[in-house]
Amino acid sequence: MGTLRFNLRPDKIDKNEKCSIELIYQVSGQRRKIFVDGKLNRINWDSVNQKAAFIAPAKAKKVLDTSVDIDRTLATDREIKEFNEGINKIKSNVTDIEKRFELDSIPYNAEMVIDKLKSTKGTKTKKEEDKYLLFDFMDKYIQDHETTREKGSLGVYRSVKNHLQAYQNETKHKVRFETIDYAFFQKFQSFLIGRTKVTNSGEIVPMLNNTTIAKVLSTLKTFLGYARRHGIKVSDSYRDFSIKREKLEVIALTEDEFTKLINFDLSRNKRLEKIRDIFCFSCATGLRVSDLEQLRHEHIKNDEITLTVKKTKTELTIPLNTISSAILDKYAEQMRPLPSISSQKLNEYIKELCELAGISESIEIVRFRGTKRETTIYPKYKLIHIHTGRKTFVTLSLERGMSAEQVMAITGHTDYKSFKRYVNVSKRLTKTVMIKAWGAVPTLKIV
C-alpha cells in the first residue's frame, strides 16, 4: 500500500490569492504528483490535518496582510465541507485502486495508480459550478459586510434571499447562478406580483407593491454583478431585463411649513422642543439620522461640520447657516451637540410635532400592485419622519437658488439620476432661478 498526502502550493497562486492543492502519492520508492480540483486561501488550509478549515472573515482580516477583498478569497462553510468531501473521496478511490490491483495480482507503481485515479471522477474536490447555491454566497456577502454596511442596506439582501427561497420552494426549481437569466427575471417578477398575505381581518391581499418589487429585482441585479466580479459564472442575458420603476412622491416641508415649525412656540413642551431642534437641524444641513447620531463637538470647527458619512464612508463638509448654528449654540454646554433619542421614538414624536404645528395638508399616495392602482390620502404629518429633513434641505436649497451641483456637494449625492427627482419637485423652483438669473417681472402698466 502506498502513502498519500495533500500539499498547498503557495507558489501556484491566482489573482484572488487562492493557492492550488497537489496530491503527492508514493509507493515502492516512486512518487507522483497531480493537482486536485479547487483552490484555497492559505489561511483555509490545515497542513497538520491535511484538510480545509473554516475561518471567520473578522479573524482572517487580522491575520492576512492582503490588498485583495476578503470576499474573493475566503471559503464558506459549505465550500470547506465540499472540499474535504472531495479529499476523502480521493483517499477512498486510491485505496480501491490499490485493492483492485492486488486482487488481480497486478504489480503496480505510482504512475499506474495516478493514471487510474485520473480516469475516474475522484479528483474532484468540489461539485460542479452548477451546484453552487446562490444562497450560500448571499450569506457570505451579508456576513462579510456586517461591519462595513448599514443594517438597513443588508436587510434588503436578506429580503431578496427570502423571496428567492420562496420562489424555489413553490416552483420546485433550484435557484442557481447559471439559471438566473432573462427568462428567470420574467418568471421571478410574475411570482413576486402574485405573492399574497392574509390580513388580520382574514382578507387575502398582495404582499408587495410594484415599488418594492422593483427594489427586489434591482438588488438582485446588483448582487449578480458582485458575484461576477468575484469569478462566479453568471448568465449575461439578465442584464437585458428592464425594471419598471414608478415615480415616488418626495415628501418635504414647504418654505412656509418650515418657517412655521421653526417659529412654533414650544416653551411649554420641552420634549417636542428638542425633537423640533433635531428635525430642523436635519432640514438645515441635510444630514441623515445615522450622522445626526454620530455627531460630536469635535466634528464642528470653523463654522463647518466635517465628518465621515456612515452610509458611504466618505468625508463630508457642511457649512453652517443661521439656523443650524443657532441650534448648536443652544446645546453648546451639553455633552453632545444635539439631544439624543432613538430613531423609533424620534420618528414617532416628529409626527406628533408636525400634527401639533398644523402641517396637515392632504397628500395622495399612489401605488400599483401589478396593474391594480391603489390610492390613499394621508394628512401630511403622518408621512413625515426624520429622513424628511434631508429631503427638505434639498428642495428648499434648490428653491432658494442653489445649483444642483452645490446641493449635491453638501449632501454627498454622487448620482444625479437619483437626485434629479428633487429638481422637479417644486413648482417654485423654475420661477426662483429665473428671477435670480433675469430679475423679477415689474408691474405692468396698462396704457
Side-chain angles (χ1 to χ4, degrees):
M1 301 287 286
T3 61
L4 57 82
R5 63 187 177 88
F6 296 89
N7 183 42
L8 180 132
R9 291 286 299 274
D11 58 322
K12 299 291 184 180
I13 190 169
D14 64 17
K15 63 181 181 180
N16 292 325
E17 298 190 353
K18 291 187 177 183
C19 303
S20 298
I21 308 292
E22 67 178 4
L23 162 65
I24 303 174
Y25 175 77
Q26 184 171 330
V27 65
S28 301
Q30 187 187 34
R31 187 169 65 174
R32 280 287 307 275
K33 301 178 181 180
I34 60 169
F35 287 108
V36 301
D37 285 359
K39 295 184 178 183
L40 290 172
N41 187 293
R42 65 184 185 277
I43 204 169
N44 284 126
W45 181 247
D46 183 349
S47 58
V48 175
N49 296 306
Q50 298 279 288
K51 64 179 183 179
F54 175 79
I55 183 168
K59 183 178 179 181
K61 290 176 183 177
K62 295 179 180 179
V63 176
L64 290 176
D65 180 16
T66 177
S67 59
V68 174
D69 189 341
I70 290 294
D71 295 327
R72 299 184 184 182
T73 181
L74 289 183
T76 63
D77 277 325
R78 185 182 183 88
E79 289 169 338
I80 293 294
K81 181 180 178 181
E82 290 180 351
F83 201 100
N84 288 332
E85 286 175 352
I87 286 178
N88 291 333
K89 182 66 176 177
I90 291 174
K91 292 178 180 178
S92 176
N93 284 347
V94 169
T95 299
D96 290 344
I97 292 169
E98 290 175 331
K99 287 181 178 179
R100 175 52 58 188
F101 279 133
E102 291 172 358
L103 287 172
D104 293 339
S105 300
I106 299 174
Y108 61 91
N109 56 34
E111 186 171 357
M112 292 169 65
V113 172
I114 293 301
D115 287 345
K116 193 72 174 177
L117 180 65
K118 288 166 67 176
S119 68
T120 70
K121 296 181 179 179
T123 55
K124 297 291 182 182
T125 60
K126 64 177 181 180
K127 298 180 181 178
E128 296 298 323
E129 189 170 349
D130 65 355
K131 298 298 183 182
Y132 264 119
L133 290 180
L134 179 140
F135 306 126
D136 294 324
F137 196 79
M138 276 191 159
D139 286 338
K140 185 176 188 300
Y141 176 91
I142 293 169
Q143 181 184 27
D144 291 351
H145 287 81
E146 283 179 342
T147 58
T148 59
R149 297 281 296 274
E150 290 292 302
K151 290 183 179 180
S153 176
L154 290 178
V156 175
Y157 286 89
R158 293 188 181 93
S159 177
V160 172
K161 178 189 172 185
N162 291 337
H163 289 305
L164 287 171
Q165 287 178 323
Y167 174 85
Q168 178 173 274
N169 293 337
E170 293 189 26
T171 64
K172 307 304 180 185
H173 291 125
K174 289 285 185 181
V175 178
R176 301 189 181 105
F177 280 109
E178 72 280 0
T179 62
I180 300 181
D181 52 14
Y182 184 92
F184 174 87
F185 265 82
Q186 288 181 311
K187 295 174 183 176
F188 187 47
Q189 178 177 252
S190 297
F191 168 78
L192 294 174
I193 292 173
R195 295 204 75 185
T196 58
K197 62 181 180 180
V198 180
T199 64
N200 293 333
S201 62
E203 182 184 4
I204 299 176
V205 299
M207 180 182 294
L208 308 171
N209 60 40
N210 290 6
T211 301
T212 305
I213 291 172
K215 181 65 175 178
V216 170
L217 296 175
S218 63
T219 302
L220 179 56
K221 272 193 169 187
T222 300
F223 182 76
L224 291 175
Y226 174 86
R228 179 194 297 276
R229 292 191 297 274
H230 284 73
I232 293 180
K233 185 179 290 184
V234 181
S235 170
D236 286 330
S237 66
Y238 81 88
R239 296 179 175 183
D240 297 328
F241 184 83
S242 178
I243 300 174
K244 295 181 179 179
R245 303 177 189 274
E246 296 174 358
K247 184 178 179 182
L248 297 180
E249 305 83 357
V250 176
I251 307 299
L253 299 186
T254 65
E255 186 75 54
D256 290 342
E257 289 169 339
F258 180 60
T259 301
K260 178 189 290 188
L261 204 55
I262 283 289
N263 296 325
F264 195 61
D265 184 9
L266 291 166
S267 56
R268 296 184 179 181
N269 193 329
K270 295 300 181 182
R271 174 176 62 88
L272 289 185
E273 182 181 9
K274 292 178 180 179
I275 299 303
R276 188 262 309 277
D277 291 342
I278 299 171
F279 181 56
C280 287
F281 189 82
S282 177
C283 293
T285 61
L287 283 174
R288 298 180 179 89
V289 63
S290 57
D291 295 318
L292 292 173
E293 291 171 348
Q294 71 157 330
L295 187 64
R296 297 293 184 271
H297 288 293
E298 53 265 30
H299 294 137
I300 306 162
K301 295 179 182 178
N302 301 323
D303 296 329
E304 290 180 336
I305 298 172
T306 302
L307 51 69
T308 299
V309 177
K310 290 192 70 173
K311 182 177 181 179
T312 62
K313 306 300 183 292
T314 57
E315 187 174 270
L316 204 62
T317 298
I318 303 171
L320 294 177
N321 52 44
T322 55
I323 293 174
S324 58
S325 179
I327 293 173
L328 290 176
D329 287 344
K330 187 173 180 179
Y331 299 95
E333 301 303 319
Q334 304 296 320
M335 288 186 62
R336 298 181 59 180
L338 294 172
S340 180
I341 186 172
S342 70
S343 297
Q344 182 179 354
K345 286 295 183 182
L346 180 60
N347 285 323
E348 177 185 336
Y349 295 156
I350 285 174
K351 288 177 173 56
E352 180 185 348
L353 167 69
C354 291
E355 181 181 15
L356 189 64
I359 302 175
S360 55
E361 174 192 0
S362 295
I363 303 291
E364 180 184 62
I365 300 296
V366 178
R367 293 290 182 268
F368 285 84
R369 298 183 188 273
T371 58
K372 184 180 178 182
R373 185 177 188 269
E374 297 180 349
T375 301
T376 310
I377 306 295
Y378 295 96
K380 190 170 183 176
Y381 65 82
K382 285 194 173 183
L383 302 174
I384 297 175
H385 46 79
I386 186 58
H387 195 63
T388 307
R390 181 171 168 83
K391 295 176 181 178
T392 297
F393 173 78
V394 173
T395 56
L396 294 189
S397 295
L398 291 171
E399 285 184 3
R400 293 179 180 190
M402 291 178 65
S403 69
E405 292 78 8
Q406 290 167 337
V407 178
M408 290 173 68
I410 294 174
T411 60
H413 281 94
T414 56
D415 180 18
Y416 184 75
K417 185 177 180 181
S418 63
F419 182 85
K420 187 179 178 181
R421 65 194 187 111
Y422 295 106
V423 177
N424 299 323
V425 73
S426 175
K427 295 179 181 178
R428 294 176 55 186
L429 175 58
T430 303
K431 184 176 181 180
T432 300
V433 296
M434 177 66 80
I435 292 174
K436 183 179 179 182
W438 296 92
V441 178
T443 303
L444 297 179
K445 295 181 180 180
I446 301 176
V447 179

